[in-house]
Amino acid sequence: MTDNRHRRQPPQPHDGTCTGTRLVHAGRGPGFADGIVNPPVWRASTILFDTLADLDAGIAAPDAGLYYGRRGTPTQWALEDALTGLEPGAAGTKLFVSGVAAITTALLAVVKAGDHVLITDSAYEPTRLFADQTLARFGVTTTYFDPRVGSSIADLIQPNTSAILLESPGSLSFEVQDVPAITTIARARNIVTMIDNTWATPLRLQPLALGCDISIQALTKYVGGHSDVMMGSATATQALWPRLKAATYRLGHSVSADDAALVLRGLRTLELRLDRAEASALTVARWLEGHHHVDRVLHPALPSHPDHALWRRDFAGATGLFGFVLKQGTRADTAALIDDLRHFGIGFSWGGYESLILPVEIDSIRTATATPLPGPLLRLSIGLEDPADLIADLDAGLARYGAQF
Ligand SMILES: *Cc1c(COP(=O)(O)O)cnc(C)c1O
């Protein structure tokens, strides 16, 4: 057989090296790029086969090398393998056009008609919409649970419960979940656990090592890191990998090589950016905690956070996303604070190099738990600016807000 087909190397599993080193080597297997440091951007739909024998060899093993564009090229494989190599216990990773697509596909890989799923009440809102509007149409019922449920999750399990979806910390409310307590109970009953790990990334929490079966990220956020690309990933253990892979293929997911190259570029600097965002966010959070207009700061790395001990036990560090609650105020008072900020953009998403602020509502989304707050909740994504500039900006904003009373 003439070798016109790039062979796919087996992914290199987590090899125990330190994080920065792994981020440099991740996904750069031999044969991908003939000495070029980064895998080239291989745009492809059709892959040509030299002969019928080559075509037949491809049909017999379509995942062994280049086959058809939807199955990816060395560009997408490099990113998949890099993400697999970051998590101990991972067998493989699939990429999706968004974080939401990763979550919905992971659920579809596991549930069937008549099943029941348990979803944390702190879950990302589109995840809830998918469960309530789409899974429900196929006869799958959902119960939302208190993110702080811990081992009491056992009381919520039904005979037909097939999946539990975690998110820790919640990206609006920042409760930390007792992941090992939940996964221990789930494993004993053959229930699949999946976690939205977007806040932590594998650098700060390694969910498969804590007993989860599928670890999901919106790569749109920290891994992409530059607010210019949408993508999601799902990384599975050996036990779940065949189901995840099959569901992804059948649902037709495929990401562009250009986008995969952008996300790979982001991945190389992930540790540097997270370290900076983590340190600056803590500085800003501590400052906010001492401000007289602030009721509380929702940041799991602060000792005042109710789940701080759990966070210390399971996480290797924090990132740059947290919230703070004002003591009082209306939408107009919030506008006084945020409209004239110089260094915080008002917008969705997070995890980019630039800082963002967003007023968020939790009680209107939730059904299992209520969190009455005295005033508006604002979420900050701290970027790579100097924290002194960010604090000065927030200080001026809080003065404008304070002038309303
Ligand atoms: C943004 C986000 C998602 C969805 O990612 P998209 O790429 O925007 O679809 C999922 N989970 C969390 C926690 C998020 O913040």
Side-chain angles (χ1 to χ4, degrees):
M1 179 174 113
T2 51
D3 194 10
N4 67 339
R5 304 174 68 227
H6 255 261
R7 297 273 126 202
R8 182 161 192 179
Q9 312 291 324
Q12 298 157 334
H14 191 284
D15 67 356
T17 53
C18 300
T19 308
T21 310
R22 273 207 309 279
L23 287 174
V24 168
H25 292 291
R28 292 172 54 205
F32 272 10
D34 291 332
I36 299 171
V37 171
N38 294 295
V41 176
W42 301 56
R43 293 199 189 95
S45 57
T46 298
I47 313 290
L48 298 175
F49 296 85
D50 281 352
T51 63
L52 182 58
D54 288 343
L55 178 69
D56 287 344
I59 292 168
D63 289 331
L66 285 170
Y67 183 76
Y68 177 57
R70 193 173 353 91
R71 289 182 185 258
T73 73
T75 322
Q76 292 95 335
W77 301 339
L79 177 57
E80 289 174 352
D81 294 347
L83 293 169
T84 302
L86 286 178
E87 285 209 48
T93 298
K94 280 290 166 192
L95 302 175
F96 302 88
V97 289
S98 66
V100 168
I103 295 165
T104 59
T105 305
L107 283 165
L108 286 174
V110 171
V111 301
K112 62 179 189 315
D115 280 358
H116 168 251
V117 298
L118 284 164
I119 298 182
T120 174
D121 209 23
S122 55
Y124 189 63
E125 196 181 4
T127 303
R128 301 179 68 116
L129 283 177
F130 179 71
D132 297 344
Q133 310 287 330
T134 304
L135 288 183
R137 283 204 286 119
F138 295 93
V140 177
T141 54
T142 302
T143 303
Y144 293 97
F145 63 87
D146 180 344
R148 297 192 166 109
V149 70
S151 48
S152 303
I153 192 88
D155 303 336
L156 301 174
I157 291 172
Q158 300 178 9
N160 57 341
T161 303
S162 59
I164 303 177
L165 187 119
L166 314 175
E167 182 178 325
S168 183
S171 67
L172 301 180
S173 45
F174 301 98
E175 301 96 335
V176 178
Q177 300 196 246
D178 192 337
V179 175
I182 294 171
T183 58
T184 302
I185 288 165
R187 283 257 161 114
R189 302 182 191 205
N190 234 348
I191 298 168
V192 172
T193 49
M194 48 189 83
I195 184 165
D196 183 335
N197 197 34
T198 302
W199 183 88
T201 85
L203 271 54
R204 302 302 199 232
L205 186 75
Q206 308 214 304
L208 303 185
L210 296 179
C212 289
D213 300 295
I214 303 178
S215 160
I216 297 163
Q217 288 186 82
L219 303 172
T220 308
K221 310 293 168 55
Y222 277 121
V223 179
H226 296 73
S227 307
D228 54 5
V229 63
M230 305 286 305
M231 201 178 290
S233 65
T235 300
T237 56
Q238 193 62 53
L240 266 293
W241 174 235
R243 285 158 85 179
L244 176 70
K245 190 169 144 184
T248 304
Y249 178 67
R250 288 180 202 138
L251 289 165
H253 289 290
S254 133
V255 305
S256 83
D258 299 78
D259 287 349
L262 270 182
V263 175
L264 259 180
R265 168 170 290 213
L267 186 70
R268 303 296 173 203
T269 57
L270 180 61
E271 188 182 37
L272 285 172
R273 290 183 288 106
L274 282 188
D275 287 352
R276 166 83 170 180
E278 171 185 38
S280 300
L282 262 176
T283 304
V284 175
R286 288 199 188 101
W287 177 82
L288 281 168
E289 212 171 26
H291 196 285
H292 61 282
H293 288 314
V294 174
D295 174 71
R296 75 193 84 158
V297 177
L298 308 177
H299 190 317
L302 292 178
S304 60
H305 191 278
D307 307 322
H308 182 63
L310 214 48
W311 175 81
R312 280 185 78 103
R313 187 191 71 189
D314 292 342
F315 287 70
T319 58
L321 189 81
F322 69 97
F324 67 99
V325 181
L326 295 165
K327 285 188 176 155
Q328 58 179 320
T330 60
R331 204 80 178 157
D333 302 326
T334 302
L337 197 168
I338 71 174
D339 280 356
D340 292 325
L341 290 173
R342 296 171 56 205
H343 302 300
F344 290 87
I346 303 171
F348 297 107
S349 196
W350 45 275
Y353 60 87
E354 81 294 4
S355 291
L356 296 175
I357 191 164
L358 190 71
V360 292
E361 277 281 330
I362 16 184
D363 275 355
S364 59
I365 301 173
R366 293 182 164 224
T367 50
T369 49
T371 324
L373 299 172
L377 165 59
L378 296 170
R379 187 180 73 177
L380 296 179
S381 176
I382 299 297
L384 306 182
E385 304 89 344
D386 290 292
D389 290 328
L390 299 178
I391 287 173
D393 205 16
L394 289 171
D395 198 27
L398 282 162
R400 290 191 297 272
Y401 157 88
Q404 311 291 306
F405 304 107

